[in-house]
Amino acid sequence: MRRDPHLIEAYVARLRRPHWRGYLYQQLAFLGWSSLAWLASLRQPTLVLAGRDDPLVPVANARLLAMLIPRAKLELIEDGHLFLMSSPQRVTPMIRAFLLPASPAA
C-alpha cells in the first residue's frame, strides 16, 4: 500500500465504522492482556501469517507466536499490514495449502 496509493483508496471506500464496544475491548486488551502463557496449550495446526513490511506489527511477533504454538507454521509475506487485501494472489495459495493438505497417495 505504501507503493500504490490507489490500493488505500479502494480499502477506505469499503471500510465500515467499528462498533464502539468492540473497539473499546480491543483498546483495553492492549493495556496488558496477553495470550502468551496459553499458546503452548494449542494442539491444532496453526498458520501464522505476517507481512514483512508491516509498520504496525513487527515480524518478531509472528516469529514468537510460531515458536510458542506447538504445531504452528509461519509464512511471511512480502507486503505490509493489510496483505490479505493487497496480495490475495500470494496469500490465498498459502492458506489453501495449509487448509487442504495434499491427500495421501491411493
Side-chain angles (χ1 to χ4, degrees), residues 5 17 21-22 29 37 47 53 55 74 77 83 98:
R17 186 177 181 160
R21 186 179 301 134
L47 179 61
D53 188 31
L74 175 63
I77 294 91
F83 59 82
F98 181 78

Side-chain angles (χ1 to χ4, degrees), residues 36-78:
L36 289 177
W38 291 277
L39 294 178
S41 67
L42 293 175
R43 296 293 169 234
Q44 63 274 22
T46 304
L47 179 61
V48 178
L49 299 170
R52 288 185 187 271
D53 188 31
D54 187 335
L56 299 177
V57 182
V59 171
N61 288 25
R63 292 187 193 281
L64 180 62
L65 284 173
M67 183 179 74
L68 295 176
I69 299 172
R71 297 177 65 199
K73 178 180 181 182
L74 175 63
E75 292 282 2
L76 299 177
I77 294 91
E78 296 299 330

